[in-house]
Amino acid sequence: MSKCEQCIVRELSSLKALNKDELIKLADCKTLQTIKKGEIIFEEGDTINGIYCIKDGICKLTKLSQNGKDHIVKLVKKENY
């Protein structure tokens, strides 16, 4: 697994506010999870207890409309640096 303190994404997100020791702590407690296509990671209104980094594939972020249909808000994929 790559180290969070070396990841360029931290320069583009709220992770840039963390110092090196905080990033090392973050890297030490992360876990790898494989998500199958169509599997829901979390739903609107859920309490999230962590950060999700995409290693491979695409994640679809959706918002439930008033009529009950899911609308794609954003497609998120691995950044290639």
Side-chain angles (χ1 to χ4, degrees), residues 26 29-31 41-42 46-52:
L26 182 67
C29 68
K30 68 182 177 180
T31 60
I41 301 171
F42 59 87
D46 286 352
T47 300
I48 305 302
N49 190 20
I51 300 170
Y52 292 93

Side-chain angles (χ1 to χ4, degrees), residues 2-3 6 11 17 20-21 25 27-28 32-33 35 37 39 41 47 50 60 67 73 75-76:
S2 63
K3 294 289 185 186
Q6 298 169 344
E11 295 300 325
K20 185 175 181 175
D21 289 337
K25 275 185 175 179
D28 288 344
L32 180 62
Q33 186 177 10
I35 307 295
K37 183 175 181 176
E39 187 176 349
I41 301 171
T47 300
K60 176 173 65 174
N67 66 3
V73 175
L75 294 174
V76 184

